[in-house]
Amino acid sequence: MVRKGLLVLVIGTIILTGAFAEVFIGAGLYFANDFGGGAVASYGNNEVKVQMPNTGFGTYAFVDVEYLELSLGLFWARGEMSTKASSGGLTIMDETMGTLSFSSVYLGLLGKYPIPITNFITVFPLFGMEYNLVTSGKMKEDGVSYDLSDATDLSALWFKAGAGMDYSINGDIFLRITALYGVRLANKAEKDTVDGLAYQFGSGFDIKTRLGHGLTIKAAIGF
């Protein structure tokens, strides 16, 4: 439902604004990570955390209609899943569960407000959302790798804000640099982890998903 709603919003926005704004297109590379993710169970001074951070790189293309940027990209990431337990502030367990890697497709829609600085430089604040659809994944444990049949459970909706800059190389070509920071909604894999912890520890623990949040840096050539 979220994916369908985002797609309708994107299509409607482009139809409504495309006729009234100059259109720019471009493509480039980007870096992104997720510092958080996972789930946590706590009871008094006792805490068990399942952590799912990741870092990766991707490629993307964008269509810009002055105040809006629509982007579509591919992303590859990996990270170590771990379980950490503590009691009274002291770590009593810190184990790596395995290495998770995945491939995904993302669709993003960002609002922007261009502010000319010179004849060559324009800066703009950015805010909006991205949906990251995970298409495949692998888990490596004790040297053994296997495909994830439920990799799409890692898909998530992000809300991001930041800033960008366009540097005009000539009248038709420009360099675009953007930096964004975002938070995301919990994905199905994390909600299932919460259910698993609840089954393991019972109702006495406060069990919830951990916030997913991270940085995105992009560089592209536009026309």
Side-chain angles (χ1 to χ4, degrees):
M1 183 64 69
V2 173
R3 278 175 277 173
K4 290 181 179 179
L6 180 57
L7 182 59
V8 170
L9 176 61
V10 168
I11 293 174
T13 302
I14 295 302
I15 291 174
L16 289 174
T17 62
F20 302 101
E22 188 173 4
V23 176
F24 303 90
I25 61 172
L29 304 173
Y30 72 99
F31 161 87
N33 65 5
D34 187 341
F35 293 112
V40 58
S42 58
Y43 180 78
N45 291 326
N46 303 304
E47 184 179 76
V48 176
K49 291 191 294 187
V50 178
Q51 302 175 111
M52 302 179 181
N54 63 76
T55 301
F57 295 87
T59 181
Y60 80 107
F62 69 85
V63 177
D64 186 306
V65 285
E66 190 174 4
Y67 297 110
L68 292 169
E69 180 191 278
L70 171 66
S71 58
L72 178 67
L74 302 174
F75 182 60
W76 299 270
R78 69 192 305 269
E80 287 190 347
M81 294 181 60
S82 63
T83 300
K84 184 176 183 179
S86 61
S87 180
L90 299 176
T91 299
I92 58 177
M93 182 184 72
D94 191 355
E95 296 183 357
T96 298
M97 300 164 60
T99 300
L100 173 67
S101 59
F102 63 86
S103 302
S104 61
V105 177
Y106 94 85
L107 178 66
L109 180 63
L110 298 172
K112 55 191 285 283
Y113 188 81
I115 304 171
I117 302 299
T118 70
N119 291 334
F120 303 100
I121 298 175
T122 299
V123 299
F124 43 87
L126 291 164
F127 61 93
M129 55 186 175
E130 296 178 357
Y131 188 79
N132 194 28
L133 173 62
V134 176
T135 55
S136 64
K138 287 181 178 292
M139 188 71 178
K140 184 176 182 180
E141 298 177 277
D142 299 324
V144 179
S145 297
Y146 58 90
D147 293 331
L148 297 177
S149 59
D150 53 357
T152 55
D153 290 351
L154 297 168
S155 305
L157 179 65
W158 286 80
F159 299 93
K160 297 187 175 184
M165 180 190 74
D166 287 345
Y167 178 81
S168 178
I169 298 173
N170 58 39
D172 298 316
I173 302 175
F174 62 93
L175 173 66
R176 172 166 294 183
I177 304 293
T178 59
L180 300 160
Y181 203 89
V183 298
R184 63 172 174 80
L185 301 181
N187 57 44
K188 187 177 185 302
E190 291 166 330
K191 294 176 182 178
D192 289 345
T193 301
V194 167
D195 292 340
L197 291 174
Y199 178 80
Q200 180 178 357
F201 294 113
S203 59
F205 277 74
D206 177 24
I207 305 173
K208 57 189 176 182
T209 57
R210 299 179 69 238
L211 179 67
H213 60 102
L215 177 69
T216 302
I217 299 176
K218 298 180 178 181
I221 295 293
F223 305 89

